[in-house]
Coordinates of all heavy atoms in Angstrom, one line a residue:
N192 N 11.9 -3.4 22.6 CA 11.1 -2.6 21.6 C 10.9 -3.3 20.3 O 11.8 -4.1 19.9 CB 11.8 -1.2 21.4 CG 11.6 -0.3 22.6 OD1 11.0 -0.6 23.6 ND2 12.2 0.9 22.5
Q193 N 9.8 -3.0 19.6 CA 9.5 -3.6 18.3 C 9.6 -2.6 17.2 O 9.4 -1.4 17.4 CB 8.1 -4.2 18.3 CG 7.9 -5.3 19.4 CD 6.5 -5.8 19.3 OE1 5.8 -5.7 18.3 NE2 6.0 -6.4 20.4
A194 N 10.0 -3.1 16.0 CA 10.0 -2.3 14.8 C 9.0 -3.0 13.8 O 9.2 -4.2 13.5 CB 11.4 -2.2 14.2
W195 N 8.1 -2.2 13.3 CA 7.1 -2.7 12.3 C 7.1 -1.8 11.1 O 7.0 -0.6 11.2 CB 5.7 -2.8 12.9 CG 5.6 -3.9 13.8 CD1 5.9 -4.0 15.2 CD2 5.1 -5.2 13.5 NE1 5.6 -5.2 15.7 CE2 5.1 -6.0 14.7 CE3 4.6 -5.8 12.4 CZ2 4.7 -7.3 14.8 CZ3 4.2 -7.2 12.4 CH2 4.2 -7.9 13.6
A196 N 7.2 -2.4 9.9 CA 7.2 -1.7 8.6 C 6.1 -2.3 7.8 O 5.9 -3.6 7.8 CB 8.6 -1.7 8.0
G197 N 5.5 -1.5 6.9 CA 4.5 -2.1 6.1 C 4.2 -1.3 4.8 O 4.5 -0.1 4.8
L198 N 3.8 -2.0 3.8 CA 3.4 -1.4 2.5 C 2.0 -2.0 2.2 O 1.6 -3.1 2.5 CB 4.3 -1.8 1.3 CG 5.7 -1.3 1.3 CD1 6.4 -1.9 0.0 CD2 5.7 0.2 1.3
A199 N 1.1 -1.1 1.6 CA -0.2 -1.5 1.1 C -0.4 -0.9 -0.2 O 0.2 0.2 -0.6 CB -1.3 -1.0 2.1
W200 N -1.1 -1.6 -1.1 CA -1.4 -1.1 -2.4 C -2.8 -1.2 -2.8 O -3.5 -2.1 -2.3 CB -0.5 -1.7 -3.5 CG -0.4 -3.2 -3.5 CD1 -1.1 -4.0 -4.4 CD2 0.3 -4.0 -2.7 NE1 -0.8 -5.3 -4.1 CE2 0.1 -5.4 -3.0 CE3 1.2 -3.8 -1.6 CZ2 0.7 -6.5 -2.4 CZ3 1.8 -4.9 -1.0 CH2 1.5 -6.2 -1.4
A201 N -3.3 -0.3 -3.6 CA -4.7 -0.3 -4.1 C -4.7 0.0 -5.5 O -3.9 0.8 -6.0 CB -5.5 0.7 -3.2
I202 N -5.7 -0.6 -6.2 CA -5.8 -0.4 -7.7 C -7.2 0.1 -8.0 O -8.1 -0.2 -7.4 CB -5.5 -1.8 -8.4 CG1 -4.2 -2.3 -8.0 CG2 -5.7 -1.6 -9.9 CD1 -3.0 -1.5 -8.4
D203 N -7.3 0.9 -9.1 CA -8.6 1.4 -9.6 C -9.1 0.3 -10.5 O -8.7 0.1 -11.6 CB -8.4 2.7 -10.4 CG -9.7 3.2 -10.9 OD1 -10.7 2.5 -10.8 OD2 -9.6 4.3 -11.5
P204 N -10.1 -0.5 -10.0 CA -10.6 -1.6 -10.9 C -11.4 -1.1 -12.1 O -11.6 -1.9 -13.0 CB -11.6 -2.4 -9.9 CG -11.9 -1.3 -8.9 CD -10.8 -0.4 -8.8
E205 N -11.8 0.1 -12.1 CA -12.6 0.6 -13.2 C -11.7 1.1 -14.4 O -12.2 1.3 -15.5 CB -13.5 1.8 -12.8 CG -14.5 1.4 -11.7 CD -15.5 0.3 -12.1 OE1 -15.9 0.4 -13.3 OE2 -15.7 -0.6 -11.3
Q206 N -10.5 1.5 -14.1 CA -9.6 2.0 -15.1 C -8.9 0.9 -15.9 O -8.4 0.0 -15.3 CB -8.5 2.9 -14.4 CG -7.6 3.6 -15.4 CD -6.6 4.5 -14.7 OE1 -6.6 4.6 -13.5 NE2 -5.8 5.2 -15.5
S207 N -8.9 1.1 -17.2 CA -8.1 0.2 -18.0 C -6.7 0.2 -17.7 O -6.1 1.3 -17.6 CB -8.3 0.6 -19.5 OG -7.5 -0.2 -20.3
G208 N -6.1 -0.9 -17.4 CA -4.7 -0.9 -17.0 C -4.4 -0.9 -15.5 O -3.3 -1.2 -15.1
G209 N -5.5 -0.6 -14.7 CA -5.4 -0.7 -13.3 C -4.3 0.1 -12.6 O -3.6 -0.4 -11.8
A210 N -4.2 1.4 -12.9 CA -3.3 2.3 -12.1 C -3.7 2.3 -10.7 O -4.8 2.0 -10.3 CB -3.3 3.7 -12.7
G211 N -2.8 2.7 -9.8 CA -3.1 2.7 -8.4 C -2.1 3.5 -7.5 O -1.3 4.3 -8.0
V212 N -2.2 3.2 -6.2 CA -1.3 3.8 -5.3 C -0.7 2.8 -4.4 O -1.2 1.7 -4.2 CB -2.1 4.9 -4.4 CG1 -2.5 6.0 -5.2 CG2 -3.2 4.2 -3.7
L213 N 0.5 3.1 -3.8 CA 1.2 2.2 -3.0 C 1.7 3.1 -1.8 O 2.3 4.1 -2.1 CB 2.4 1.6 -3.7 CG 3.0 0.3 -3.2 CD1 3.6 -0.5 -4.3 CD2 4.1 0.6 -2.1
V214 N 1.4 2.7 -0.6 CA 1.8 3.5 0.6 C 2.7 2.7 1.6 O 2.6 1.5 1.6 CB 0.5 4.1 1.3 CG1 -0.3 4.9 0.3 CG2 -0.3 2.9 1.9
E215 N 3.4 3.5 2.3 CA 4.4 2.9 3.3 C 4.2 3.5 4.6 O 4.0 4.7 4.7 CB 5.8 3.0 2.8 CG 6.4 4.4 2.7 CD 6.0 5.2 1.5 OE1 5.2 4.8 0.7 OE2 6.5 6.4 1.3
H216 N 4.4 2.7 5.7 CA 4.3 3.2 7.1 C 5.3 2.4 7.9 O 5.5 1.2 7.7 CB 2.9 3.1 7.6 CG 2.0 4.3 7.2 ND1 2.2 5.5 7.8 CD2 1.0 4.4 6.3 CE1 1.3 6.3 7.2 NE2 0.6 5.7 6.3
A217 N 5.7 3.0 9.0 CA 6.5 2.4 10.0 C 6.0 2.8 11.4 O 5.5 3.9 11.6 CB 8.0 2.8 9.9
A218 N 6.1 1.8 12.4 CA 5.6 2.1 13.7 C 6.2 1.1 14.7 O 7.0 0.2 14.3 CB 4.1 2.0 13.8

């Protein structure tokens, strides 16, 4: 069996300072 973990992040390019989100998943 395999274990896979991951993170992805996205930024608001229009917002000054570039706030964003970071998400996590496992499968």
Side-chain angles (χ1 to χ4, degrees):
N192 287 358
Q193 298 179 24
W195 284 86
L198 293 180
W200 52 100
I202 303 298
D203 179 355
E205 301 298 320
Q206 182 179 2
S207 175
V212 293
L213 200 152
V214 300
E215 67 278 7
H216 277 286

